Amino acid sequence: MRFWKREELTEEERRWRRRQFRTHVIYAMIFLSFTSLLLRAAYVQISNGKAYRQAELSIPKARIPVLPQRGWIYDANGQVLAWDKPSLSIVMNRYSTTSDATYRHLASALAPVLHQTPQALYRLMKSDSGTIQVTLAKNVSLAQVAYVVEHQSELPGVQVIQDYIREYPYGDLAGQVLGYVGAITAENVSRYQGYLYSQKVGETGVEEQYEPLLQGKPGYELVTINSAGNAIAEAGEIPPQNGDNLQLTLDGHEQAYAQMIMQSMIQKVSAKNAVENAAAVMLDVKTGGVIAMVSYPYLDPNWFTLGTLGQHAHYVSTSGAQVNNAIAMVNYPGSTVKPANLITAMKAGLVNPQTTIEDDGYIYIGKSRKNEDEGFAFGAVDPVEALTVSSDVFFYEVGLWLGKWFGSSATQGGSWPAQDGSYQHYLNTDLAKGMNALFQGEADFGLGYKTGIDLPYENDGAFYILDSRQGNRQVPYDLKASERSIAKTGEYVNYGSPASLADAAIGQSQMFTPLQLAEYALALANRGVRVTPHVLQAVYGPNGTPTNGAKPVSTVKPKVAGRVNAPDWQWNLVQRGMIGVTTSPNGTAYGAFAGAPYQVAGKTGTAQIMLGGKPTDNSVFIGYAPADHPQVAVAVMAPGGGYGAQFSAVIARQMLDAYFNEHHAPFMPKSGWTDTSIPANWKSSPAYQIPEQSP
């Protein structure tokens, strides 16, 4: 047997070995500890995992809406016409289950915080019952926000939202075109599925038309709530998606001048308050873009968004200012329809350049006598002269010829064709066909029906015929029904009169909107090519604007709505007559355009109407300029304004001057040139101030 001799260790070696032993013990303990933890975690995950996950999810969280910024609206030159200013608001969602006692409790609790009396706050909570959400306070302080968040469990339905205040920096500039925003109501909530009750929506104008683009999508801030109902921590955020920004075709500079011109002209009329409503429209001839759209009386959208409507309630409720008269006011066009009716007669082969009519100042139609306006007698007139001087007798004959009523003159009343048999059969056949030819010829130019502009609440026009059964009173004439009936049976039963043909030929048997007249002027300028009017020019993303170099998401392309086909000689003849209106000493608008450094092809219109139970005139003018290379078309209508030449033509001249000066047209004196900015004196002008001063 062999025995090993025990090795003698030094003190240093013994200390080293003791340290190694302790290290191994510590590692072993750590290993055992981690093993124990892993085993415990596995046990918890397998046996109690579902319960713990449910407990984690049950921690209360509040979802605070973060509203998107509504898209801004810019004019054609990049100037802001509507924007959103950020703010914090305290709102209350009103549900059908909310008791009156709850309202009173909330009012008492919030009154000292919102610096109101409980009674006033209670009335606010109960006001405007159609609105699902009521704003209790805007632009609130952080202390007010903290109170609501900390006492959320005691304030059912009350919440803090990041809001925006919609502002229109130029007040009533294009107010009816821009429109305004308002709260979601019980009546319109079905239209806004997926919206928060606190979101503001477009109610009129561009704001309503392009609501889906402007609105954006709300986001949320998640906040954890403790057992006492207090917010204790943020738990995440879903950011809102802001709305798209819009650029309009509207030229803020021209719009401001046009409104100032209109306001000044109305103030100058001899009879006070003679003009209660008026409108003016300027269109880009090639694109159909609306350069200016004036609707008088004016309206400031800020009244509806900044809470000052009460100060102007009487004005708004009595003036009709909420109506965009450019697209909704329907009235008689007077002689402005004569160019279209002349084209219709020439296309029918009834009139040629040599056609001459003796205008003795009146004409007999049957036994009735129809006079020239103001007792004028123009003598022998051809088509060009008939337009220049606006001969009613010439166009009486044009209407009668289209309806096959022949022989009317200053000495005899004429008659219907013998082959038509009875007078009633004549009315049902040739007269109806003549009325259709006149009205359809006008409709081909865009008159009588909605233009399709991208604005809400546009109106159709209307056509009329005299009804012998009702004392020769005008009654509506259904053009489409007449055309269908004649195509099917050869007849359209009516009880009219050949005088209806004469009235229609001079614009006394139809009613159109100013926008329809502007589109008609555009079609004349384009020699029959009719382009749909529009106010939207381009759409930019939330971060893009017309001034920051961003590319638009989309742009609006011109849309041809129809064509009036006629040979060049007919367009040339009509244009010569319309140029004569503004340049010939005998022209009806010569005084308004005397000295103009550019030529305007225009036509005045004066229609006899009743206003406030009193007879007066509807003042109308249409035209385009420059006549040789048209850039813009314009239409002005002012019921009660008197003769078209004395009111509407003057406004049109000044609007054209302002446009060409802004665009530095070479034919305009450089001393009158302006820039594209909205005039510095806009807010000091009566056009801006008078609505602001309304009681």
Side-chain angles (χ1 to χ4, degrees):
M1 176 180 292
R2 184 177 176 181
F3 295 95
W4 295 94
K5 183 179 179 180
R6 183 176 179 178
E7 182 178 2
E8 294 292 332
L9 300 175
T10 66
E11 184 63 26
E12 180 65 28
E13 289 173 331
R14 284 196 294 272
R15 285 199 299 270
W16 180 84
R17 288 193 176 188
R18 284 196 296 271
R19 286 196 299 271
Q20 286 288 93
F21 177 77
R22 287 195 296 270
T23 300
H24 290 314
V25 170
I26 291 171
Y27 281 158
M29 292 176 65
I30 292 173
F31 173 77
L32 291 173
S33 297
F34 273 103
T35 301
S36 175
L37 288 172
L38 289 172
L39 291 173
R40 177 63 179 171
Y43 169 76
V44 169
Q45 180 70 20
I46 295 170
S47 64
N48 296 327
K50 182 176 181 180
Y52 280 115
R53 284 194 299 273
Q54 187 64 38
E56 189 275 332
L57 290 174
S58 66
I59 296 175
K61 292 184 176 65
R63 194 166 69 161
I64 300 176
V66 180
L67 295 181
Q69 178 174 275
R70 192 173 180 86
W72 292 18
I73 301 175
Y74 298 80
D75 82 338
N77 303 314
Q79 298 169 105
V80 178
L81 300 179
W83 57 20
D84 264 17
K85 184 173 75 173
S87 69
L88 291 176
S89 296
I90 295 175
V91 301
M92 184 181 70
N93 295 318
R94 298 188 295 193
Y95 306 104
S96 58
T97 55
T98 304
S99 66
D100 190 72
T102 300
Y103 283 125
R104 294 188 182 277
H105 162 72
L106 292 173
S108 297
L110 289 172
V113 179
L114 302 183
H115 310 298
Q116 298 188 52
T117 65
Q119 295 79 9
L121 199 54
Y122 173 78
R123 287 194 297 269
L124 178 60
M125 291 176 175
K126 300 284 285 186
S127 65
D128 194 9
S129 59
T131 303
I132 295 174
Q133 185 180 78
V134 61
T135 300
L136 303 180
K138 292 184 177 181
N139 290 320
V140 294
S141 66
L142 293 179
Q144 292 169 318
V145 170
Y147 178 88
V148 171
V149 173
E150 291 169 6
H151 298 80
Q152 193 71 66
S153 62
E154 305 163 24
L155 303 171
V158 177
Q159 62 181 157
V160 178
I161 62 170
Q162 178 183 311
D163 201 355
Y164 291 93
I165 299 175
R166 193 64 162 178
E167 289 189 351
Y168 304 87
Y170 296 102
D172 65 352
L173 183 74
Q176 292 95 339
V177 178
L178 296 174
Y180 51 83
V181 298
I184 295 175
T185 66
E187 288 73 24
N188 65 19
V189 66
S190 60
R191 294 173 52 190
Y192 301 108
Q193 298 296 324
Y195 278 57
L196 299 174
Y197 292 153
S198 53
Q199 286 179 268
K200 300 297 187 294
V201 295
E203 293 193 354
T204 60
V206 170
E207 296 279 25
E208 177 178 356
Q209 183 73 26
Y210 290 107
E211 165 68 23
L213 295 177
L214 290 165
Q215 182 60 251
K217 296 181 179 179
Y220 298 94
E221 181 181 349
L222 301 177
V223 179
T224 56
I225 305 297
N226 63 15
S227 59
N230 297 327
I232 57 175
E234 293 185 3
E237 180 185 11
I238 301 172
Q241 179 181 328
N242 293 334
D244 291 332
N245 299 316
L246 305 184
Q247 183 175 27
L248 306 184
T249 61
L250 211 66
D251 182 328
H253 177 99
E254 177 68 20
Q255 179 74 28
Y257 267 102
Q259 288 187 220
M260 290 190 289
I261 291 164
M262 177 73 78
Q263 183 71 49
S264 176
M265 195 67 188
I266 289 173
Q267 289 179 285
K268 288 179 181 177
V269 293
S270 57
K272 288 186 178 180
N273 301 321
V275 178
E276 297 177 356
N277 306 286
V281 180
M282 179 179 282
L283 301 178
D284 184 304
V285 164
K286 299 305 178 186
T287 68
V290 176
I291 298 169
M293 179 175 281
V294 178
S295 178
Y296 175 88
Y298 304 142
L299 184 78
D300 187 342
N302 288 310
W303 300 342
F304 298 85
T305 59
L306 301 184
T308 61
L309 181 59
Q311 302 172 28
H312 309 278
H314 177 75
Y315 172 84
V316 172
S317 63
T318 60
S319 67
Q322 290 198 71
V323 176
N324 184 345
N325 288 317
I327 65 173
M329 178 174 65
V330 179
N331 217 315
Y332 294 95
S335 296
T336 58
V337 300
K338 289 176 179 176
N341 292 341
L342 183 58
I343 289 285
T344 297
M346 290 190 292
K347 290 174 65 175
L350 299 173
V351 175
N352 61 52
Q354 290 73 43
T355 300
T356 302
I357 291 176
E358 190 67 30
D359 184 343
D360 294 313
Y362 61 92
I363 188 176
Y364 281 98
I365 304 174
K367 295 181 179 180
S368 64
R369 170 172 160 162
K370 295 190 73 68
N371 297 318
E372 189 71 61
D373 191 30
E374 287 293 301
F376 290 120
F378 296 111
V381 291
D382 61 16
V384 172
E385 186 70 7
L387 287 177
T388 295
V389 302
S390 200
S391 167
D392 284 347
V393 169
F394 184 97
F395 283 92
Y396 289 153
E397 291 281 24
V398 165
L400 294 172
W401 293 344
L402 284 166
K404 294 187 177 180
W405 184 273
F406 299 112
S408 285
S409 69
T411 58
Q412 55 185 355
S415 184
W416 68 92
Q419 60 267 29
D420 281 355
S422 70
Y423 178 66
Q424 185 60 52
H425 189 254
Y426 161 73
L427 295 179
N428 295 346
T429 55
D430 283 331
L431 180 133
K433 292 175 183 178
M435 297 296 290
N436 292 355
L438 283 166
F439 291 154
Q440 187 59 55
E442 293 167 3
D444 290 343
F445 278 97
L447 297 169
Y449 300 98
K450 293 182 179 72
T451 67
I453 191 172
D454 50 342
L455 286 173
Y457 312 119
E458 181 184 14
N459 275 340
D460 282 314
F463 299 105
Y464 298 94
I465 190 171
L466 298 173
D467 192 325
S468 60
R469 299 172 303 172
Q470 301 187 40
N472 283 327
R473 185 175 68 85
Q474 283 190 342
V475 297
Y477 184 83
D478 192 332
L479 173 60
K480 299 303 181 185
S482 177
E483 290 177 331
R484 289 193 299 268
S485 179
I486 288 175
K488 185 176 181 179
T489 68
E491 296 186 31
Y492 178 67
V493 177
N494 68 89
Y495 302 92
S497 158
S500 293
L501 295 163
D503 287 341
I506 66 166
Q508 297 284 352
S509 287
Q510 54 273 79
M511 300 177 79
F512 308 133
T513 66
L515 180 61
Q516 291 169 20
L517 289 167
E519 186 186 29
Y520 161 47
L522 176 152
L524 288 169
N526 286 332
R527 299 200 161 205
V529 179
R530 181 161 57 91
V531 183
T532 301
H534 60 93
V535 296
L536 181 64
Q537 178 172 308
V539 179
Y540 290 83
N543 298 318
T545 75
T547 58
N548 70 358
K551 291 185 178 180
V553 175
S554 63
T555 57
V556 176
K557 301 292 190 296
K559 179 182 178 181
V560 175
R563 296 177 185 272
V564 178
N565 295 313
D568 283 342
W569 70 265
Q570 294 181 6
W571 295 117
N572 293 339
L573 186 149
V574 168
Q575 186 179 66
R576 284 171 52 206
M578 293 179 68
I579 291 175
V581 168
T582 63
T583 61
S584 169
N586 296 324
T588 55
Y590 176 73
F593 289 91
Y598 53 93
Q599 279 192 336
V600 177
K603 187 69 195 75
T604 57
T606 305
Q608 288 72 50
I609 61 172
M610 297 294 291
L611 195 62
K614 298 179 180 179
T616 185
D617 293 315
N618 187 30
S619 177
V620 191
F621 179 84
I622 65 161
Y624 58 87
D628 53 349
H629 293 97
Q631 297 178 33
V632 294
V634 65
V636 183
M637 179 186 286
Y643 284 100
Q646 296 172 346
F647 189 95
S648 293
V650 175
I651 291 174
R653 163 68 188 277
Q654 294 180 36
M655 288 176 62
L656 290 169
D657 282 354
Y659 177 84
F660 292 129
N661 274 323
E662 178 190 352
H663 291 270
H664 298 177
F667 46 76
M668 300 297 289
K670 289 186 177 181
S671 59
W673 284 5
T674 59
D675 58 26
T676 60
S677 61
I678 294 170
N681 66 335
W682 164 245
K683 290 190 176 181
S684 63
S685 71
Y688 178 90
Q689 292 183 341
I690 286 179
E692 291 293 329
Q693 297 167 355
S694 63

